[in-house]
């Protein structure tokens, strides 16, 4: 499954949009792009996933590059509750996916 | 609406002791997983069960055994605990292994002295 590269950390101000990037240049045609986040002292929670087209849900939007080698998770208006570690994982089967170290998002009041 | 339930939440073991971590899901999911998370690290897959009756090794299976007891329950056993197994353990489940959401439990903090 494809390796992903994410920035170690990012900062944002409350109520501003946040764009979290992820590079996955070795992605294959059947690989899904998943985003999860982990709040302090909790298990990870699902944010969004997609295959080829951009996706929206109540939590976030996922913008996938046309060549699928990168994607961006968009939080439209960050809140303090969005402060977490965000993981971008790419692959076909959860049995083979790897959660890397993710991006630590800090949200300032 | 329990989701994925793990027990116990905390455990302290002495080196060489054995124990079993329990996990149950009530979402009628086919696939279940055990991960470990060390401080400042991402999650690493220990074992998973794609469907009832099957189990497969993940990235870090050494020192662990698993049992898919039925569709709801997936247990992780440490036969002879070692300090290197000090970690937070998460159980997760999904409808299938492909393209579906993972739902995680709240974790078990395990310390091996």
């Amino acid at each position: 499954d494809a390796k992903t590269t994410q920035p170690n950390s990012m900062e944002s101000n409350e109520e501003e949009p946040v764009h979290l990037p992820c590079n996955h240049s070795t992605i294959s045609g059947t690989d899904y792009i998943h985003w999860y986040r982990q709040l302090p002292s909790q298990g990870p929670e699902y944010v969004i996933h997609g295959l080829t087209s951009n996706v929206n849900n109540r939590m976030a939007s996922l913008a996938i590059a046309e060549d699928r080698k990168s994607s961006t998770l968009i939080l439209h208006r960050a809140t303090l509750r969005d402060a977490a570690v965000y993981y971008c994982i790419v692959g076909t089967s959860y049995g083979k996916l790897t959660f890397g170290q993710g991006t630590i998002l800090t949200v300032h009041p | 609406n329990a989701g994925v339930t793990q027990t116990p939440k905390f455990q302290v073991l002495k080196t060489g002791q054995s124990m079993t971590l329990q996990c149950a899901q009530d979402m009628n999911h086919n696939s279940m997983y055990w991960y470990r998370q060390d401080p400042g690290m991402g999650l690493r897959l220990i074992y998973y069960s794609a469907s009832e009756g099957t189990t497969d090794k993940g990235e870090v299976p050494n020192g662990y055994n698993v049992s898919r007891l039925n569709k709801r329950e997936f247990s992780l056993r440490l036969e002879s605990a070692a300090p290197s197994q000090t970690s937070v353990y998460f159980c997760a489940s999904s409808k299938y292994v492909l393209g579906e959401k993972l739902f995680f439990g709240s974790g078990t903090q395990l310390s091996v002295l």
Side-chain angles (χ1 to χ4, degrees):
Chain A
D1 293 285
K3 181 179 171 61
T4 61
T5 303
Q6 299 177 252
N8 290 332
S9 62
M10 292 186 64
E11 297 186 18
S12 174
N13 294 318
E14 204 173 8
E15 299 191 4
E16 290 184 354
V18 180
H19 291 234
L20 297 164
C22 181
N23 287 319
H24 29 80
S25 58
T26 60
I27 192 170
S28 72
T30 56
D31 286 344
Y32 284 89
I33 302 162
H34 309 258
W35 284 84
Y36 285 79
R37 72 180 186 181
Q38 187 173 21
L39 280 65
S41 301
Q42 294 188 27
E45 66 172 340
Y46 169 84
V47 178
I48 201 165
H49 80 281
L51 185 60
T52 56
S53 305
N54 294 345
V55 184
N56 300 295
N57 65 24
R58 64 174 182 81
M59 287 181 70
S61 296
L62 175 60
I64 301 172
E66 198 168 333
D67 63 5
R68 300 186 72 235
K69 294 186 177 184
S70 66
S71 62
T72 302
L73 178 70
I74 303 166
L75 307 179
H76 295 286
R77 290 184 66 198
T79 71
L80 297 178
R81 289 183 300 237
D82 292 321
V85 179
Y86 286 79
Y87 299 100
C88 167
I89 55 177
V90 173
T92 53
S93 166
Y94 278 124
K96 299 188 185 304
L97 293 184
T98 300
F99 284 74
Q101 292 190 272
T103 297
I104 300 170
L105 175 65
T106 301
V107 180
H108 299 289
Chain B
N1 198 8
V4 178
T5 303
Q6 291 183 235
T7 55
K9 292 193 183 302
F10 301 95
Q11 184 70 49
V12 179
L13 293 177
K14 295 181 180 178
T15 297
Q17 288 185 317
S18 63
M19 79 158 296
T20 300
L21 306 183
Q22 307 286 354
C23 176
Q25 51 88 12
D26 63 1
M27 295 173 282
N28 198 35
H29 284 171
N30 293 293
S31 305
M32 297 185 73
Y33 314 80
W34 276 105
Y35 294 88
R36 62 177 286 174
Q37 185 172 34
D38 299 317
M41 304 287 288
L43 283 78
R44 292 184 291 172
L45 184 64
I46 304 171
Y47 271 94
Y48 70 103
S49 170
S51 60
E52 188 179 355
T54 70
T55 60
D56 284 288
K57 295 178 180 179
E59 184 184 354
V60 288
N62 291 345
Y64 305 95
N65 287 302
V66 290
S67 295
R68 184 73 184 267
L69 303 170
N70 48 55
K71 192 171 185 179
R72 290 186 64 248
E73 298 173 288
F74 188 39
S75 63
L76 177 72
R77 183 161 178 84
L78 288 71
E79 290 290 353
S80 179
S84 61
Q85 294 178 305
T86 294
S87 189
V88 180
Y89 291 84
F90 290 101
C91 177
S93 71
S94 62
K95 184 69 172 172
Y96 302 108
V97 293
L98 301 176
E100 295 286 339
K101 300 178 190 179
L102 275 176
F103 292 82
F104 283 84
S106 57
T108 296
Q109 174 75 60
L110 175 67
S111 295
V112 183
L113 305 178

